[in-house]
């Protein structure tokens, strides 16, 4: 028996710089090779979706389309060739490719016309996702925590482990303390970095950063980052600077603050056609500046490892979720991210 509903409610990006439209969407009549039908329970919202709405990477040729890349749900149906998940499995939906088939994108319809969607979307009650965009997890992992493994946790921990390669006792500054930034802070604490300096323009996020392991916090809107850093570490320069903002001036500042063999990790994506200016000579002698792609996470390997840490209380997400909204109110959730009224991760109940 095929368990495919005819319609679902979804949030649709129809026009850039505009609110999402909440409407009924027609699902495909069948699940194709390598595809998995998931009933979503929870979706997170990432800064990447704000970038999509704002056109940060330029003109969007796929409008209208579905959105979201971090969530949790249950497998309802699987297509031919799918072997890594089964009907009834609890799964994390993630944008980084994992194991299994990479399928074609699903064929949704909206108001009688084709509606685009990527290999994973989560701002919808159901999702036809590619097998390699979902990973089975133990049933006992609660839905909120499970959804965070789709991006906030795996990116945050991957940045520390794979990109920054942070070592015991190294100094690190994290610029931007949102959902990913808080997990970068938590992972830095786990690796015994010191000091762990969180920088943001919202005091509520900085207070939360302290709970997740920041040894020092700086509100860059009202405080001088250079002066406070000097008070913390003296004349020494930083070992690692991690930028979550994508703002060119902040990237340049991070490059200045790190020492001759320091590492600058770019998590946030700068707007299209923006440029940074750096003195490049140190790059020839050991200084590193690199862009992160989801922390280079390997979901099928990393999610089970991080779940082990969660089960054994080595990490916690108890304070990470600070707001939740229904799908009907997702535009309010997006506004809360923009204006900083929500300090941590925002979840959407589906």
């Amino acid at each position: 028996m095929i368990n495919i509903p005819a319609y679902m409610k979804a949030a649709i990006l129809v026009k850039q710089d505009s609110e999402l439209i909440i409407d009924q969407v027609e699902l495909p009549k069948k699940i194709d090779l390598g595809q998995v039908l998931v009933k979503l329970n929870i979706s997170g919202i990432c800064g990447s979706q704000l970038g999509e709405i704002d056109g940060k990477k330029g003109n969007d040729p796929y409008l209208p389309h579905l959105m979201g890349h971090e969530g949790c749900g249950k497998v309802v149906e699987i297509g031919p060739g799918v072997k890594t998940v089964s009907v009834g499995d609890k799964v994390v939906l993630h944008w980084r490719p994992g194991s299994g088939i990479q399928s074609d994108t699903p064929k949704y319809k909206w108001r009688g016309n084709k509606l685009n969607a990527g290999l994973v979307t989560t701002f919808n009650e159901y999702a036809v996702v590619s097998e390699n965009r979902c990973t089975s997890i133990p049933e006992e992992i609660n839905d909120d925590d499970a959804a965070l493994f789709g991006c906030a946790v795996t990116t945050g921990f991957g940045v520390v482990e794979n990109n920054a390669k942070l070592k015991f006792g190294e100094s690190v500054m994290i610029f931007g303390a949102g959902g990913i930034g808080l997990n970068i802070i938590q992972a830095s604490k786990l690796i015994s970095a010191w000091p762990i300096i969180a920088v943001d323009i919202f005091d509520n996020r900085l207070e939360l950063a302290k709970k997740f392991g920041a040894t020092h916090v700086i509100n860059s809107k009202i405080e001088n980052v250079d002066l406070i850093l000097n008070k913390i570490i003296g004349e020494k320069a930083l070992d690692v600077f991690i930028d979550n903002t994508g703002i060119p001036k902040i990237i340049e500042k991070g490059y200045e603050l790190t020492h001759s063999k320091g590492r600058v990790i770019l998590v946030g994506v700068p707007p299209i056609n923006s440029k940074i200016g750096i003195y490049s000579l140190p790059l020839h002698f050991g200084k590193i500046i690199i862009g992160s792609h989801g922390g280079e996470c390997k979901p099928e390997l990393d999610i089970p490892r991080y779940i082990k840490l969660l089960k054994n209380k080595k990490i916690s997400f108890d304070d990470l979720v600070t707001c939740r909204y229904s799908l009907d109110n997702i535009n309010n959730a997006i506004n809360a991210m923009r204006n900083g009224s929500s300090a941590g991760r925002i979840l959407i109940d589906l």
Side-chain angles (χ1 to χ4, degrees):
M1 178 180 177
I2 304 298
N3 301 298
I4 306 175
Y7 293 91
M8 66 176 177
K9 185 187 293 184
I12 307 163
L13 179 62
V14 178
K15 183 180 178 183
Q16 288 178 306
D17 293 316
S18 300
E19 290 194 341
L20 305 184
I21 290 178
I22 315 301
D23 204 353
Q24 294 293 312
V25 169
E26 185 179 346
L27 280 88
K29 297 286 192 295
K30 66 173 184 174
I31 306 302
D32 288 333
L33 177 72
Q35 292 180 337
V36 179
L37 176 64
V38 177
K39 170 68 178 75
L40 270 294
N41 295 328
I42 299 287
S43 173
I45 300 181
C46 183
S48 295
Q49 280 87 60
L50 272 62
E52 280 185 81
I53 294 168
D54 297 343
K56 202 169 187 179
K57 295 181 182 178
N59 182 58
D60 189 337
Y62 299 105
L63 294 173
H65 62 74
L66 298 182
M67 298 183 71
H69 68 208
E70 167 186 88
C72 166
K74 184 152 289 196
V75 175
V76 176
E77 192 67 50
I78 60 174
V82 172
K83 296 180 180 178
T84 64
V85 299
S86 302
V87 172
D89 283 2
K90 176 178 269 192
V91 290
V92 173
L93 302 190
H94 43 77
W95 65 272
R96 285 281 300 172
S99 59
I101 298 170
Q102 179 153 306
S103 71
D104 292 334
T105 54
K107 298 176 176 63
Y108 299 108
K109 286 187 178 180
W110 176 53
R111 298 179 180 177
N113 297 311
K114 177 184 176 182
L115 177 64
N116 289 314
L119 296 172
V120 59
T121 62
T122 60
F123 293 177
N124 24 266
E125 294 176 317
Y126 288 83
V128 177
V129 303
S130 178
E131 181 186 11
N132 67 354
R133 261 54 175 197
C134 57
T135 297
S136 292
I137 59 169
E139 186 67 35
E140 65 267 23
I141 303 301
N142 74 63
D143 289 350
D144 289 3
D145 290 347
L148 298 171
F149 285 113
C151 179
V153 176
T154 45
T155 297
F157 277 65
V159 164
V160 170
E161 184 178 21
N162 301 322
N163 299 135
K165 297 180 174 28
L166 198 61
K167 298 179 178 62
F168 299 116
E170 285 193 313
S171 57
V172 57
M173 177 176 282
I174 299 100
F175 218 111
I180 290 174
L182 292 170
N183 278 293
I184 292 173
I185 292 166
Q186 181 166 208
S188 299
K189 179 184 178 182
L190 197 66
I191 212 73
S192 296
W194 197 94
I196 302 169
I197 306 165
V199 186
D200 207 291
I201 60 173
F202 298 110
D203 285 333
N204 58 347
R205 289 182 180 171
L206 294 173
E207 286 302 312
L208 200 52
K210 292 178 186 176
K211 292 184 179 181
F212 277 84
T215 61
H216 303 78
V217 296
I218 302 172
N219 186 324
S220 60
K221 195 172 184 178
I222 58 175
E223 298 177 291
N224 187 302
V225 174
D226 298 59
L227 289 177
I228 296 176
L229 179 62
N230 185 261
K231 290 179 181 178
I232 297 170
I233 63 175
E235 295 182 358
K236 297 178 181 178
L238 283 167
D239 293 309
V240 176
F241 182 94
I242 301 172
D243 174 63
N244 297 311
T245 70
I247 299 172
K249 287 185 178 180
I250 292 175
I251 295 170
E252 292 168 356
K253 173 58 66 178
Y255 188 82
E256 291 173 11
L257 294 177
T258 47
H259 60 67
S260 60
K261 294 188 183 296
R263 286 97 75 198
V264 180
I265 315 300
L266 311 183
V267 183
V269 178
I272 188 170
N273 296 326
S274 60
K275 297 179 180 180
I276 62 170
I278 60 172
Y279 175 55
S280 63
L281 183 61
L283 297 175
H284 298 274
F285 298 97
K287 192 161 186 167
I288 294 172
I289 180 168
I290 63 169
S292 174
H293 192 247
E296 320 324 302
C297 162
K298 296 181 179 178
E300 75 279 17
L301 300 177
D302 293 340
I303 290 174
R305 291 195 299 120
Y306 301 153
I307 285 176
K308 189 192 303 182
L309 293 175
L310 181 66
K311 282 184 172 181
N312 288 281
K313 303 187 186 305
K314 300 296 183 183
I315 59 175
S316 172
F317 312 129
D318 289 347
D319 297 311
L320 187 63
V321 177
T322 51
C323 282
R324 57 196 316 134
Y325 291 80
S326 68
L327 183 59
D328 286 327
N329 292 308
I330 195 168
N331 288 304
N332 294 333
I334 290 167
N335 290 334
M337 274 194 77
R338 291 190 189 281
N339 63 33
S341 59
S342 175
R345 205 58 154 183
I346 295 174
L347 295 185
I348 303 301
D349 289 310
L350 295 156

